[in-house]
Amino acid sequence: MPEGKIIATHEAKRKTVKIEFEDNGIAWVFLNRPEKRNAMSPALNDDMVEVLEMLENDDRAKVLVLTGAGEAWTAGMDLREFFRALDKETPAEQARQRRSSEVWQFRMLRNYAKPTIAMVNGWCFGGAFTPLACCDLAVAADEAVFGVSEINWGILPGGVVTKALQVLMTNRDARWYILTGETFTGKEAARMGVVNRSYPKATLKEETRKLCEIILKKGPATYFHCKVAFNYVDGMDWDLANEWLRGRSMALRMMDKENIRDRALTSFLDKKEYRPGLGMFDRGSK
Ligand code: ACO
Ligand code: V55
């Protein structure tokens, strides 16, 4: 897919998140506090809630790429504005700010209505692992540096960071990084499966665009049901998963207005024009 034209940009109310809409359906969402390494402040958390709510209903965005402006993806929670300043707030305000961080970092992202890709361009610490774990797919720059720094400065990986690490890493790797606080690179992150792939920083955006191109060919309803099925089946036993997936399969057949399933079956079984094993069914231009 050639580089698209940027047809619009948007800045969130508190100016800590910006969006670039490409004419090919990609919405590049930038955590945008580069001078603070995109640390997640209360303002940024509120902006991300606003942006995710907006993009859910914006037809220009068919796939979201969550990335960072400047040298960082995100250096984790803002230790000045989210940790130290919050200590002095009322319990009600602490609860509100903690909620807005949770709302976007995992409640909204984990089963988001559109495809989400984390593009880890640089620093990725602590609280960053929550949105990383909750994006559908993740790619990183080989040179990016990751770390679970909490133990280095006297806290445990809170929020749901410990849970995110349990999902993203093997038991041994998670305990290693939680308990040593050592950093690792994007290349190592890919080897461990913390991200799907890593690429030299110079080609990261181009490679991410290629991934978007693959995702954009999928039926949106099919894609959504595949991801939600995977997320929910975690924690079910075999019998419950079997029953639950049958229900979801029926729901998808009702929700896929393009009826990709039956058209692809006709193309494969009757017309012998298409082989499902070898690639995406051509849905045609709608
Ligand atoms: N919270 C608040 N401010 C931050 C954060 C953060 N997490 N990370 C960076 N900043 C700020 C710095 O205070 C500094 O601000 P200033 O210019 O106003 O003094 C600015 O961003 C630049 O930071 P430097 O440390 O100068 O940048 P450098 O490129 O040398 O280092 C690095 C980058 C390694 C990311 C370093 O900033 C760092 O260690 N940050 C903290 C990473 C971390 O451990 N995060 C917390 C994880 S635990 C959790 O999220 C709950
Ligand atoms: C962290 C801790 C939090 C949080 C989000 O350790 C991330 C990281 C203690 O609260 O809300």
Side-chain angles (χ1 to χ4, degrees):
M1 185 158 72
E3 194 172 320
K5 237 207 329 269
I6 293 173
I7 48 173
T9 60
H10 175 87
E11 196 172 52
K13 192 156 54 189
R14 302 155 199 84
K15 304 192 183 305
T16 64
V17 180
K18 70 174 182 194
I19 310 166
E20 290 177 1
F21 293 94
E22 231 171 88
D23 62 1
N24 47 29
I26 305 176
W28 302 92
V29 178
F30 290 88
L31 303 177
N32 193 28
R33 303 179 69 216
E35 70 295 341
K36 299 290 183 187
R37 305 298 180 263
N38 304 323
M40 295 181 280
S41 61
L44 181 142
N45 290 328
D46 289 343
D47 272 349
M48 275 305 298
V49 173
E50 176 196 309
V51 158
L52 290 179
E53 270 173 2
M54 185 194 102
L55 291 179
E56 218 159 28
N57 285 303
D58 190 321
D59 287 339
R60 293 172 298 184
K62 310 271 192 236
V63 53
L64 274 61
V65 178
L66 181 61
T67 190
E71 293 164 31
W73 193 59
T74 164
M77 302 310 296
D78 189 305
L79 302 187
R80 186 187 304 280
E81 295 184 36
F82 189 86
F83 271 71
R84 189 196 270 168
L86 260 199
D87 291 346
K88 303 185 192 80
E89 289 290 349
T90 62
E93 183 57 16
Q94 289 177 354
R96 193 197 73 74
Q97 297 198 7
R98 209 166 324 110
R99 188 165 54 245
S100 77
S101 92
E102 293 169 8
V103 161
W104 82 267
Q105 290 175 14
F106 76 98
R107 295 190 200 289
M108 294 186 78
L109 267 185
R110 212 167 88 87
N111 286 303
Y112 195 68
K114 298 180 183 184
T116 54
I117 299 171
M119 184 175 87
V120 182
N121 52 300
W123 306 114
C124 179
F125 285 102
F129 285 91
T130 302
L132 179 63
C134 294
C135 284
D136 302 343
L137 299 167
V139 294
D142 289 338
E143 303 91 331
V145 173
F146 295 68
V148 188
S149 64
E150 281 84 338
I151 199 168
N152 293 340
W153 59 280
I155 70 164
L156 62 79
V160 282
V161 172
T162 294
K163 177 75 184 170
L165 292 165
Q166 208 170 71
V167 168
L168 284 177
M169 290 182 174
T170 67
N171 185 293
R172 277 288 172 215
D173 285 334
R175 289 199 275 184
W176 182 274
Y177 289 106
I178 291 167
L179 298 177
T180 66
E182 273 184 8
T183 60
F184 54 97
T185 64
K187 219 175 197 165
E188 291 166 322
R191 184 183 52 74
M192 291 188 284
V194 170
V195 298
N196 294 100
R197 302 280 161 87
S198 75
Y199 306 98
K201 193 172 160 82
T203 61
L204 178 63
K205 194 163 188 185
E206 186 185 323
E207 296 291 346
T208 304
R209 223 185 246 109
K210 286 187 204 159
L211 176 59
C212 290
E213 187 177 12
I214 295 170
I215 299 300
L216 286 164
K217 290 202 174 93
K218 308 303 178 198
T222 319
Y223 182 97
F224 178 72
H225 280 72
C226 285
K227 92 169 178 190
V228 169
F230 184 80
N231 289 342
Y232 276 99
V233 159
D234 178 38
M236 292 183 197
D237 65 26
W238 282 73
D239 288 308
L240 182 55
N242 181 232
E243 282 303 310
W244 188 89
L245 287 167
R246 195 155 58 90
R248 271 284 165 176
S249 299
M250 295 310 291
L252 170 55
R253 289 179 68 178
M254 289 201 63
M255 286 178 70
D256 182 14
K257 303 297 179 205
E258 299 178 54
N259 198 10
I260 297 171
R261 175 188 188 273
D262 292 345
R263 288 160 61 212
L265 284 178
T266 302
S267 179
F268 176 51
L269 299 173
D270 305 328
K271 300 189 194 153
K272 300 188 182 298
E273 290 170 350
Y274 164 63
R275 288 179 180 75
L278 301 183
M280 181 63 204
F281 178 70
D282 183 359
R283 295 151 60 213
S285 52
K286 287 185 295 129

XYZ file of all heavy atoms in Angstrom, residues 14-18 30-45 47 68-70 72-73 76-82:
271
model
N -7.202 18.619 25.313
C -6.110 19.023 26.213
C -4.755 19.002 25.503
O -3.707 19.123 26.140
C -6.119 18.124 27.444
C -7.458 18.188 28.188
C -7.737 16.943 28.996
N -9.154 16.816 29.334
C -10.093 16.278 28.539
N -9.778 15.815 27.342
N -11.346 16.209 28.929
N -4.789 18.756 24.183
C -3.608 18.831 23.312
C -2.522 17.799 23.623
O -1.358 17.973 23.240
C -2.988 20.245 23.343
C -3.985 21.342 22.957
C -3.280 22.662 22.717
C -4.243 23.801 22.393
N -5.141 23.524 21.248
N -2.867 16.712 24.287
C -1.859 15.688 24.592
C -1.967 14.473 23.677
O -1.173 13.537 23.805
C -1.971 15.209 26.052
O -3.243 14.569 26.228
C -1.870 16.369 27.026
N -2.960 14.486 22.789
C -3.119 13.416 21.802
C -3.470 14.060 20.474
O -4.276 14.995 20.438
C -4.241 12.422 22.189
C -4.381 11.322 21.130
C -3.987 11.799 23.560
N -2.832 13.601 19.397
C -3.230 14.098 18.078
C -3.461 12.926 17.123
O -2.921 11.829 17.327
C -2.205 15.086 17.515
C -0.909 14.438 17.122
C 0.049 15.412 16.419
C 1.301 14.641 16.029
N 2.437 15.440 15.653
N -1.352 9.631 17.946
C -0.068 9.932 18.598
C -0.283 10.362 20.042
O -0.978 11.354 20.288
C 0.645 11.087 17.877
C 1.163 10.736 16.513
C 0.350 10.880 15.397
C 2.467 10.272 16.338
C 0.830 10.571 14.127
C 2.952 9.960 15.075
C 2.134 10.099 13.967
N 0.318 9.627 20.980
C 0.478 10.174 22.321
C 1.444 11.337 22.129
O 2.520 11.169 21.540
C 1.044 9.110 23.270
C 0.201 7.823 23.350
C 0.884 6.795 24.255
C -1.203 8.105 23.830
N 1.053 12.524 22.580
C 1.749 13.714 22.087
C 2.235 14.642 23.202
O 1.835 15.802 23.290
C 0.827 14.454 21.110
C 1.559 15.518 20.315
O 2.768 15.396 20.086
N 0.840 16.546 19.904
N 3.115 14.080 24.055
C 3.832 14.909 25.022
C 5.311 14.540 24.881
O 5.927 14.026 25.826
C 3.370 14.621 26.454
C 1.890 14.812 26.711
C 1.563 14.469 28.160
N 2.104 15.424 29.100
C 2.590 15.100 30.312
N 2.626 13.842 30.711
N 3.052 16.041 31.115
N 5.868 14.790 23.685
C 7.220 14.271 23.438
C 8.249 14.774 24.446
O 9.153 14.026 24.829
C 7.527 14.762 22.014
C 6.543 15.842 21.720
C 5.322 15.521 22.530
N 8.080 16.019 24.908
C 9.070 16.567 25.859
C 8.999 15.862 27.211
O 9.937 15.912 27.993
C 8.897 18.094 25.997
C 7.648 18.579 26.703
C 6.322 18.262 25.988
O 6.293 17.967 24.762
O 5.282 18.290 26.682
N 7.904 15.163 27.472
C 7.763 14.353 28.704
C 7.722 12.869 28.363
O 7.182 12.062 29.120
C 6.482 14.761 29.450
C 6.426 16.212 29.913
C 7.408 16.487 31.036
C 7.271 17.931 31.527
N 8.333 18.247 32.512
N 8.275 12.509 27.225
C 8.355 11.107 26.784
C 6.971 10.449 26.778
O 6.817 9.264 27.020
C 9.338 10.301 27.657
C 10.745 10.906 27.743
C 11.434 10.982 26.375
N 12.771 11.572 26.480
C 13.039 12.860 26.237
N 12.085 13.708 25.867
N 14.278 13.320 26.345
N 5.954 11.266 26.482
C 4.561 10.801 26.371
C 4.068 10.099 27.639
O 3.240 9.181 27.582
C 4.369 9.890 25.150
C 4.801 10.581 23.871
O 4.586 11.777 23.717
N 5.429 9.848 22.970
N 4.607 10.539 28.782
C 4.127 9.997 30.061
C 2.622 10.253 30.158
O 2.117 11.286 29.719
C 4.866 10.663 31.217
N 1.930 9.279 30.740
C 0.468 9.327 30.772
C -0.021 10.119 31.980
O -0.114 9.615 33.093
C -0.078 7.903 30.736
C 0.270 7.202 29.409
S -0.355 5.518 29.277
C 0.861 4.625 30.234
N -0.302 11.386 31.721
C -0.812 12.307 32.732
C -2.333 12.200 32.773
O -2.947 11.652 31.857
C -0.422 13.730 32.342
O -1.005 14.040 31.081
N -2.958 12.769 33.815
C -4.428 12.786 33.836
C -5.016 13.434 32.573
O -6.003 12.935 32.024
C -4.740 13.595 35.097
C -3.582 13.284 36.015
C -2.384 13.223 35.100
N -4.395 14.500 32.084
C -4.908 15.149 30.863
C -4.822 14.198 29.672
O -5.762 14.084 28.875
C -4.118 16.431 30.578
N -3.700 13.494 29.541
C -3.552 12.558 28.421
C -4.571 11.426 28.531
O -5.161 11.006 27.535
C -2.118 12.011 28.368
C -1.825 11.042 27.215
C -0.424 11.263 26.650
C -2.002 9.582 27.614
N -4.792 10.960 29.741
C -5.794 9.896 29.917
C -7.179 10.387 29.494
O -7.907 9.681 28.802
C -5.813 9.415 31.372
C -4.544 8.642 31.718
O -3.956 7.979 30.872
N -4.124 8.740 32.970
N -7.802 12.808 27.399
C -7.764 12.975 25.938
C -7.936 11.633 25.223
O -8.614 11.549 24.195
C -6.443 13.626 25.491
C -6.507 15.153 25.504
O -7.614 15.711 25.644
O -5.433 15.771 25.366
N 3.718 7.004 19.379
C 4.133 8.136 20.203
C 4.879 9.175 19.391
O 5.642 8.826 18.480
N 4.680 10.443 19.730
C 5.435 11.522 19.101
C 6.838 11.552 19.713
O 6.997 11.331 20.911
C 4.723 12.856 19.323
N 7.834 11.792 18.878
C 9.202 11.926 19.388
C 9.858 10.599 19.701
O 9.616 9.606 19.006
N 9.672 8.546 22.327
C 9.041 7.543 23.196
C 7.751 7.002 22.593
O 7.079 7.692 21.823
C 8.723 8.165 24.565
N 7.425 5.748 22.958
C 6.026 5.303 22.815
C 5.322 5.927 24.018
O 4.729 6.970 23.871
C 5.937 3.770 22.768
C 4.573 3.313 22.312
C 3.987 3.627 21.118
C 3.648 2.485 23.018
N 2.727 3.035 21.057
C 2.504 2.330 22.208
C 3.665 1.849 24.264
C 1.389 1.574 22.591
C 2.564 1.089 24.635
C 1.435 0.958 23.812
N 5.363 5.447 30.463
C 4.519 4.968 31.572
C 3.694 6.073 32.194
O 3.515 7.147 31.606
N 3.178 5.794 33.375
C 2.357 6.796 34.051
C 3.206 8.019 34.364
O 4.411 7.900 34.605
C 1.773 6.223 35.367
C 0.934 4.959 35.180
S -0.332 5.079 33.898
C -1.383 6.351 34.557
N 2.587 9.177 34.347
C 3.316 10.407 34.662
C 3.567 10.462 36.169
O 2.632 10.581 36.949
C 2.521 11.635 34.198
C 3.359 12.895 34.318
O 3.875 13.179 35.427
O 3.516 13.613 33.307
N 4.842 10.345 36.546
C 5.156 10.213 37.970
C 4.957 11.527 38.720
O 4.751 11.531 39.926
C 6.584 9.694 38.144
C 6.843 8.336 37.445
C 8.222 7.800 37.794
C 5.778 7.302 37.777
N 4.991 12.643 38.003
C 4.706 13.933 38.643
C 3.196 14.167 38.756
O 2.673 14.433 39.831
C 5.355 15.077 37.852
C 5.233 16.442 38.522
C 5.737 17.574 37.612
N 7.119 17.362 37.169
C 8.200 17.635 37.908
N 8.073 18.169 39.101
N 9.407 17.396 37.431
N 2.507 14.030 37.626
C 1.095 14.437 37.595
C 0.112 13.328 37.984
O -0.972 13.615 38.455
C 0.739 14.958 36.192
C 1.483 16.231 35.846
C 1.038 16.777 34.496
O -0.163 16.662 34.167
O 1.900 17.311 33.774
N 0.496 12.080 37.736
C -0.429 10.993 38.080
C -0.093 10.407 39.442
O -0.975 10.031 40.185
C -0.406 9.890 37.015
C -1.487 8.843 37.192
C -2.765 9.025 36.653
C -1.227 7.665 37.897
C -3.764 8.063 36.823
C -2.223 6.693 38.059
C -3.489 6.898 37.520
